[in-house]
Amino acid sequence: ARRLTDAPGGPAGSPLRGVELDRVAFCLRKQAERETAERGVPAYFPSLSARTMVWKGMLTPDQLPAFYPELTDDRLASAIALVHSRFSTNTFPSWPLAHPYRFIAHNGEINTIRGNRNWMQAREALLRSPDLPGNIRRIFPVCTPGASDSANFDEVLELLHLAGRSLPHAVLMMIPEAWENDPGMRPDKREFYRFHASLMEPWDGPASVAFTDGEIVGAVLDRNGLRPGRWWRTDDGLVVLGSEAGVLDLDPARVVAKGRLQPGKMFLVDTAAGRIVHDDEIKAELAAAQPYGEWLHAGLIELTDLPAREHIVYTHDSVRRRQQTFGYTEEELKILLAPMARTGAEPIGSMGTDTPIAPLSTRPRLLYDYFHQLFAQVTNPPLDAIREELVTSLSSRIGPEGNLLDPGPASCRQIVLPYPVIDNDELAKILSIDEDGDLPGFKAVRVSGLYRVREGAAGIKARLTEICRHVSEAIEDGVRILVLSDRDSNADLAPIPSLLLTAAVHQHLVREQTRTQVALVVESGDCREVHHAAVLIGYGAAAVNPYLAFESVEDMISTRALVGVEPASAVRNYVKALGKGVLKIMSKMGISTVSSYCGAQVFEAVGLDTRLVERYFRGTPSKIGGIGLAGIHAEVAARHALAWPA
C-alpha cells in the first residue's frame, strides 16, 4: 500500500487512477511475469489496466458470447471496441502466441524482429524514467523471450507510452512514414522523424496496427501501405475501421464520410473530444512539442563535412599480394568488380550455376557463402525497390545512443552516412575524427582482427575472446566508434573472417548491454560482393569498408585492365553498386530502410557447426563451449584467406 501511494501521480492519501495506476500495474505485472518465468512456471496477465479490459480465446468469433457471457450483458458499455480475429498461418495455434491486445491489434509481420529485439535488449542498460516507479530493472526484459512479433511490438510501445509519450507519438517512433525522400514534406515534420531516427530503428515490415488506450483509438499503416484498411463514419457518430469492407452491416444512406488508411498515415478518433483527428494535425502537434530542428543542427554531423584526409595509393605488388591473401580470382576482378566500377550497378548474369553450394564444395569458401537470406514468407510481399524508391532509404547514423525514455539535444549527436558502404578516404575521416579536437565525444579506434595462424581454430577462439574483452575496455575508456579491421595480415598473422568477427563483437556487446554506446564499422579485405556487404550489415555493421576492393579497382585502372573511368569516379560507382545491391536484397525480405536491416539477422547458416552459429551469430550465452568450426573446411579454420595459390 505504501508503494502505491508513493508512486508518481499518487501522493500519500490520494488513490491512483488512469495512466498513473497503469504505470504501477505495468511494473508489478512485468516483475511477476519475470519472476515466475525464472521459476519455470510462466504467468501471463491478459488484462491488467485501469483503462482497458481484454478478452482472449482460442475460438471462433461465433463462440465468443458463449465463452464470455458478460459481453452480452446490457450493463457492459464501452465507447471503443477493438477486435482481432485470425487463423494461424505459419504457426500452430497456441496461447503464448495469442494476440497481445494491451495496446495494439496487429495485422502483418515485423520482418526485422530479431534485430529489434536485440537492439531493445542492448538499450535496457541506459533506460531511466521518473514516470515509472521503483527500480526500472524489474521490468526487464522489455521484450519477452519467445513471444511473437506482435507481442514484442506491444511491449515496447507500452514502455514508450507509460514512460511519458502519447500513444500516437510512440506509434510514429516505431512505424515512421517514409520521410527521407519526400520533397513535399513539411520541414518541421521531417525534423521530427529525423530526430527520432537517432533514437530507434523502425520496426519494419508489412503492418497495419490499430491501437487504443481506452480514450483514443487509431490505426496506422507501414510506409509501404502493404496492408488494407478502410473506415466509415455514420450520421450518429459511429466510426468503423476494418481490414476489409463489410466487417459490419452499415446502411449506406447513413454513411457521411469514408476513406482508407494510407501508407505511413495515421487515423485517430478522440472519444473524449468526440471527433476524428486528422493526420496533419497529429503530426504538427508532435513536431512542435520540442525544438527538434535546433537539436539536429547542433547534434548531427554529415560525413561529407568532416575534414579530408590524405588519400593513399598502394603499389601493384602490395595489392596483388593481398588479393592472393583474401582469395580474389581473376573472374571476380573482371566479371564483378570492373563492371560495378564502370557502370555503378551489379553486372547481369545467368541465374544458373554449376558450382556446388559451400557445404559440399571441395575448395575453400568464404564464410559469407554459408549464409543465405531468409525470404518473405506467407503474406510478406517483397518490395519493388526500383519503382518504390520514395519509401526506401540507405542512409544510416553512427555514434552512441542515449536514454530512449529521456530524449534531448544529446540524443542526436551522431554522424550521418548517406550509404552503408564507405570508401577508404571516408574511413580515414572517421578514424581521425577526434584528432583536431573539434568534435568531442566521437573517439574512434581500430581493432585488429588477426590471429596466429599456427594456432588454428583454437587461436581464432582465443583471439575472439581477447577482442571482446578489448572492445569492452575501449567502451569504458570512452571509445564510441569501433573499426573492426583485418589489415596487415602476414605469414604469421591471418585475418579472422570479417563476418565471424563482426557477429561475435555485436552479440558480445548486446549481451553486455553496451551495444548502443558504440558504432561498429568493418574494414574488410574479404568483402567484395553485394552479398558480403549485406550479411555484414545484417549481423551488426553500421558501415562496411571493403578497402581491398577499392584498391583493386584503382590498381586495375593503373594497369589499364579497366579503362574509360577515372579512379575517383570508379570508387563512387562501386559504392553506388554495392548500395543498390544491398537495397535489392533488403527488398526481397520486405525491409525498406538499412537502419532496420542493421542487426536484423535475416539469414540462415547452412552447413556450419551448430555451436558456432548459436554462440556467435544468434547470441546464445557464451556458456556454449568451443568455436565449432568443424562444419567449415579446415582451410577456413586454420588457413582462411592466407597464402592462397596465385
Side-chain angles (χ1 to χ4, degrees), residues 107-140:
N107 173 27
E109 288 82 29
I110 304 298
N111 294 335
T112 57
I113 188 62
R114 281 188 186 177
N116 297 133
R117 289 166 177 157
N118 273 350
W119 288 116
M120 200 61 224
Q121 179 186 348
R123 292 185 179 109
E124 289 177 355
L126 298 177
L127 295 182
R128 302 288 187 276
S129 175
D131 291 315
L132 298 176
N135 188 343
I136 197 170
R137 298 192 64 82
R138 62 182 174 150
I139 71 170
F140 298 159

Short mmCIF file of all heavy atoms in Angstrom, two decimals, residues 107-140:
data_model
loop_
_atom_site.label_atom_id
_atom_site.label_comp_id
_atom_site.label_asym_id
_atom_site.label_seq_id
_atom_site.Cartn_x
_atom_site.Cartn_y
_atom_site.Cartn_z
N ASN A 107 -2.07 -6.56 -37.79
CA ASN A 107 -2.25 -7.40 -38.97
C ASN A 107 -1.01 -7.26 -39.83
O ASN A 107 -0.75 -6.20 -40.39
CB ASN A 107 -3.49 -6.96 -39.75
CG ASN A 107 -3.63 -7.69 -41.08
OD1 ASN A 107 -3.16 -8.81 -41.22
ND2 ASN A 107 -4.26 -7.05 -42.05
N GLY A 108 -0.20 -8.32 -39.93
CA GLY A 108 1.02 -8.25 -40.72
C GLY A 108 2.17 -8.93 -40.01
O GLY A 108 1.98 -9.71 -39.07
N GLU A 109 3.37 -8.64 -40.45
CA GLU A 109 4.58 -9.21 -39.87
C GLU A 109 5.64 -8.14 -39.71
O GLU A 109 5.76 -7.25 -40.55
CB GLU A 109 5.14 -10.35 -40.74
CG GLU A 109 4.32 -11.63 -40.73
CD GLU A 109 3.13 -11.56 -41.68
OE1 GLU A 109 3.22 -10.86 -42.69
OE2 GLU A 109 2.11 -12.20 -41.38
N ILE A 110 6.43 -8.25 -38.64
CA ILE A 110 7.59 -7.39 -38.45
C ILE A 110 8.80 -8.19 -38.96
O ILE A 110 9.25 -9.13 -38.31
CB ILE A 110 7.78 -7.00 -36.97
CG1 ILE A 110 6.51 -6.33 -36.43
CG2 ILE A 110 8.98 -6.08 -36.83
CD1 ILE A 110 6.13 -5.05 -37.13
N ASN A 111 9.32 -7.81 -40.12
CA ASN A 111 10.40 -8.58 -40.74
C ASN A 111 11.74 -8.39 -40.04
O ASN A 111 12.64 -9.22 -40.20
CB ASN A 111 10.53 -8.20 -42.21
CG ASN A 111 9.32 -8.60 -43.03
OD1 ASN A 111 8.61 -9.53 -42.67
ND2 ASN A 111 9.08 -7.91 -44.12
N THR A 112 11.88 -7.31 -39.30
CA THR A 112 13.17 -7.00 -38.65
C THR A 112 13.16 -7.39 -37.18
O THR A 112 13.97 -6.87 -36.41
CB THR A 112 13.47 -5.50 -38.78
OG1 THR A 112 12.38 -4.75 -38.21
CG2 THR A 112 13.61 -5.10 -40.24
N ILE A 113 12.29 -8.31 -36.78
CA ILE A 113 12.03 -8.54 -35.36
C ILE A 113 13.26 -9.01 -34.59
O ILE A 113 13.46 -8.61 -33.45
CB ILE A 113 10.85 -9.55 -35.18
CG1 ILE A 113 10.44 -9.64 -33.72
CG2 ILE A 113 11.18 -10.89 -35.78
CD1 ILE A 113 9.93 -8.35 -33.13
N ARG A 114 14.11 -9.85 -35.19
CA ARG A 114 15.32 -10.30 -34.48
C ARG A 114 16.19 -9.11 -34.08
O ARG A 114 16.66 -9.01 -32.95
CB ARG A 114 16.13 -11.25 -35.36
CG ARG A 114 15.62 -12.67 -35.43
CD ARG A 114 16.64 -13.54 -36.17
NE ARG A 114 16.16 -14.89 -36.40
CZ ARG A 114 16.84 -15.82 -37.07
NH1 ARG A 114 18.02 -15.52 -37.57
NH2 ARG A 114 16.35 -17.02 -37.24
N GLY A 115 16.42 -8.22 -35.03
CA GLY A 115 17.23 -7.05 -34.72
C GLY A 115 16.56 -6.12 -33.73
O GLY A 115 17.20 -5.59 -32.83
N ASN A 116 15.24 -5.91 -33.88
CA ASN A 116 14.52 -5.04 -32.94
C ASN A 116 14.64 -5.57 -31.52
O ASN A 116 14.83 -4.78 -30.57
CB ASN A 116 13.05 -4.95 -33.34
CG ASN A 116 12.82 -4.31 -34.70
OD1 ASN A 116 12.06 -4.82 -35.52
ND2 ASN A 116 13.49 -3.21 -34.96
N ARG A 117 14.51 -6.88 -31.35
CA ARG A 117 14.65 -7.46 -30.01
C ARG A 117 16.06 -7.25 -29.46
O ARG A 117 16.24 -6.87 -28.29
CB ARG A 117 14.33 -8.95 -30.05
CG ARG A 117 12.86 -9.29 -30.28
CD ARG A 117 12.73 -10.75 -30.65
NE ARG A 117 11.33 -11.15 -30.81
CZ ARG A 117 10.95 -12.19 -31.54
NH1 ARG A 117 11.84 -12.94 -32.16
NH2 ARG A 117 9.66 -12.49 -31.63
N ASN A 118 17.07 -7.50 -30.29
CA ASN A 118 18.45 -7.34 -29.85
C ASN A 118 18.75 -5.90 -29.47
O ASN A 118 19.38 -5.63 -28.44
CB ASN A 118 19.41 -7.79 -30.95
CG ASN A 118 19.71 -9.27 -30.90
OD1 ASN A 118 19.36 -9.94 -29.94
ND2 ASN A 118 20.33 -9.79 -31.94
N TRP A 119 18.31 -4.95 -30.31
CA TRP A 119 18.58 -3.55 -30.00
C TRP A 119 17.87 -3.12 -28.73
O TRP A 119 18.40 -2.33 -27.93
CB TRP A 119 18.16 -2.67 -31.17
CG TRP A 119 19.05 -2.78 -32.37
CD1 TRP A 119 18.73 -3.26 -33.60
CD2 TRP A 119 20.44 -2.41 -32.45
NE1 TRP A 119 19.82 -3.20 -34.44
CE2 TRP A 119 20.88 -2.69 -33.75
CE3 TRP A 119 21.34 -1.87 -31.54
CZ2 TRP A 119 22.19 -2.44 -34.18
CZ3 TRP A 119 22.65 -1.63 -31.95
CH2 TRP A 119 23.06 -1.91 -33.26
N MET A 120 16.65 -3.64 -28.52
CA MET A 120 15.92 -3.26 -27.30
C MET A 120 16.63 -3.82 -26.07
O MET A 120 16.71 -3.13 -25.02
CB MET A 120 14.49 -3.79 -27.38
CG MET A 120 13.52 -3.08 -26.45
SD MET A 120 13.38 -1.33 -26.84
CE MET A 120 13.45 -0.61 -25.20
N GLN A 121 17.13 -5.04 -26.17
CA GLN A 121 17.88 -5.62 -25.05
C GLN A 121 19.12 -4.78 -24.75
O GLN A 121 19.46 -4.52 -23.59
CB GLN A 121 18.30 -7.05 -25.38
CG GLN A 121 19.12 -7.71 -24.28
CD GLN A 121 19.65 -9.09 -24.70
OE1 GLN A 121 19.24 -9.64 -25.72
NE2 GLN A 121 20.57 -9.62 -23.93
N ALA A 122 19.80 -4.33 -25.81
CA ALA A 122 21.01 -3.53 -25.61
C ALA A 122 20.70 -2.17 -24.99
O ALA A 122 21.53 -1.61 -24.26
CB ALA A 122 21.73 -3.34 -26.94
N ARG A 123 19.52 -1.63 -25.27
CA ARG A 123 19.17 -0.30 -24.75
C ARG A 123 18.78 -0.33 -23.28
O ARG A 123 18.71 0.72 -22.64
CB ARG A 123 18.00 0.28 -25.56
CG ARG A 123 18.36 0.62 -27.00
CD ARG A 123 17.21 1.29 -27.72
NE ARG A 123 17.58 1.63 -29.07
CZ ARG A 123 17.13 1.02 -30.17
NH1 ARG A 123 16.24 0.05 -30.05
NH2 ARG A 123 17.55 1.38 -31.36
N GLU A 124 18.48 -1.50 -22.75
CA GLU A 124 17.97 -1.57 -21.38
C GLU A 124 18.92 -0.97 -20.36
O GLU A 124 18.48 -0.39 -19.36
CB GLU A 124 17.67 -3.03 -21.03
CG GLU A 124 16.45 -3.59 -21.74
CD GLU A 124 16.21 -5.06 -21.44
OE1 GLU A 124 17.05 -5.68 -20.75
OE2 GLU A 124 15.19 -5.59 -21.91
N ALA A 125 20.23 -1.07 -20.61
CA ALA A 125 21.20 -0.57 -19.63
C ALA A 125 21.11 0.95 -19.45
O ALA A 125 21.48 1.47 -18.39
CB ALA A 125 22.62 -0.96 -20.05
N LEU A 126 20.62 1.66 -20.47
CA LEU A 126 20.56 3.12 -20.40
C LEU A 126 19.19 3.65 -20.02
O LEU A 126 19.02 4.86 -19.85
CB LEU A 126 20.98 3.71 -21.75
CG LEU A 126 22.39 3.41 -22.24
CD1 LEU A 126 22.62 4.01 -23.63
CD2 LEU A 126 23.43 3.95 -21.26
N LEU A 127 18.19 2.78 -19.90
CA LEU A 127 16.82 3.24 -19.67
C LEU A 127 16.66 3.82 -18.26
O LEU A 127 17.04 3.19 -17.27
CB LEU A 127 15.83 2.10 -19.87
CG LEU A 127 15.70 1.53 -21.29
CD1 LEU A 127 14.64 0.44 -21.32
CD2 LEU A 127 15.37 2.64 -22.28
N ARG A 128 16.09 5.01 -18.20
CA ARG A 128 15.74 5.66 -16.94
C ARG A 128 14.48 6.46 -17.18
O ARG A 128 14.32 7.09 -18.23
CB ARG A 128 16.85 6.60 -16.46
CG ARG A 128 18.21 5.98 -16.25
CD ARG A 128 18.26 5.09 -15.00
NE ARG A 128 19.62 4.63 -14.74
CZ ARG A 128 20.18 3.58 -15.32
NH1 ARG A 128 19.48 2.88 -16.23
NH2 ARG A 128 21.42 3.22 -15.05
N SER A 129 13.56 6.48 -16.22
CA SER A 129 12.36 7.28 -16.37
C SER A 129 11.78 7.62 -15.01
O SER A 129 11.50 6.73 -14.20
CB SER A 129 11.30 6.54 -17.20
OG SER A 129 10.09 7.27 -17.23
N PRO A 130 11.57 8.91 -14.73
CA PRO A 130 10.94 9.29 -13.46
C PRO A 130 9.46 8.93 -13.41
O PRO A 130 8.86 8.92 -12.33
CB PRO A 130 11.13 10.81 -13.42
CG PRO A 130 11.25 11.22 -14.86
CD PRO A 130 11.94 10.08 -15.55
N ASP A 131 8.86 8.63 -14.58
CA ASP A 131 7.44 8.30 -14.61
C ASP A 131 7.16 6.86 -14.16
O ASP A 131 6.02 6.54 -13.82
CB ASP A 131 6.87 8.50 -16.01
CG ASP A 131 6.81 9.96 -16.40
OD1 ASP A 131 6.37 10.76 -15.56
OD2 ASP A 131 7.21 10.31 -17.52
N LEU A 132 8.17 6.00 -14.20
CA LEU A 132 7.98 4.60 -13.82
C LEU A 132 8.47 4.40 -12.40
O LEU A 132 9.64 4.67 -12.10
CB LEU A 132 8.71 3.67 -14.78
CG LEU A 132 8.23 3.73 -16.24
CD1 LEU A 132 9.09 2.84 -17.12
CD2 LEU A 132 6.77 3.34 -16.35
N PRO A 133 7.63 3.92 -11.50
CA PRO A 133 8.00 3.82 -10.08
C PRO A 133 9.00 2.71 -9.82
O PRO A 133 9.03 1.69 -10.53
CB PRO A 133 6.67 3.54 -9.39
CG PRO A 133 5.85 2.86 -10.43
CD PRO A 133 6.25 3.47 -11.74
N GLY A 134 9.81 2.90 -8.79
CA GLY A 134 10.72 1.84 -8.35
C GLY A 134 11.91 1.67 -9.26
O GLY A 134 12.19 2.47 -10.16
N ASN A 135 12.64 0.58 -9.04
CA ASN A 135 13.82 0.23 -9.83
C ASN A 135 13.37 -0.23 -11.21
O ASN A 135 12.64 -1.22 -11.34
CB ASN A 135 14.61 -0.87 -9.13
CG ASN A 135 15.94 -1.14 -9.80
OD1 ASN A 135 16.16 -0.76 -10.96
ND2 ASN A 135 16.84 -1.81 -9.09
N ILE A 136 13.82 0.45 -12.24
CA ILE A 136 13.34 0.13 -13.58
C ILE A 136 13.79 -1.25 -14.04
O ILE A 136 13.19 -1.85 -14.95
CB ILE A 136 13.82 1.21 -14.59
CG1 ILE A 136 12.99 1.13 -15.88
CG2 ILE A 136 15.31 1.06 -14.89
CD1 ILE A 136 13.21 2.28 -16.83
N ARG A 137 14.81 -1.82 -13.41
CA ARG A 137 15.30 -3.13 -13.83
C ARG A 137 14.26 -4.23 -13.60
O ARG A 137 14.36 -5.30 -14.18
CB ARG A 137 16.60 -3.47 -13.10
CG ARG A 137 17.75 -2.51 -13.39
CD ARG A 137 19.07 -3.07 -12.88
NE ARG A 137 19.43 -4.28 -13.58
CZ ARG A 137 20.02 -4.32 -14.77
NH1 ARG A 137 20.32 -3.20 -15.40
NH2 ARG A 137 20.34 -5.46 -15.33
N ARG A 138 13.27 -3.96 -12.78
CA ARG A 138 12.27 -5.01 -12.53
C ARG A 138 11.35 -5.23 -13.71
O ARG A 138 10.61 -6.21 -13.74
CB ARG A 138 11.46 -4.68 -11.27
CG ARG A 138 10.65 -3.40 -11.32
CD ARG A 138 9.94 -3.20 -10.00
NE ARG A 138 9.24 -1.92 -9.93
CZ ARG A 138 8.15 -1.73 -9.22
NH1 ARG A 138 7.62 -2.73 -8.56
NH2 ARG A 138 7.59 -0.55 -9.17
N ILE A 139 11.36 -4.32 -14.69
CA ILE A 139 10.52 -4.53 -15.87
C ILE A 139 11.28 -5.22 -17.00
O ILE A 139 10.72 -5.46 -18.07
CB ILE A 139 9.94 -3.20 -16.39
CG1 ILE A 139 11.04 -2.35 -17.03
CG2 ILE A 139 9.23 -2.45 -15.28
CD1 ILE A 139 10.50 -1.13 -17.77
N PHE A 140 12.57 -5.55 -16.77
CA PHE A 140 13.36 -6.19 -17.82
C PHE A 140 13.18 -7.71 -17.76
O PHE A 140 12.97 -8.26 -16.68
CB PHE A 140 14.84 -5.84 -17.65
CG PHE A 140 15.14 -4.37 -17.77
CD1 PHE A 140 16.30 -3.84 -17.22
CD2 PHE A 140 14.27 -3.52 -18.41
CE1 PHE A 140 16.59 -2.49 -17.32
CE2 PHE A 140 14.54 -2.16 -18.51
CZ PHE A 140 15.70 -1.65 -17.96
#
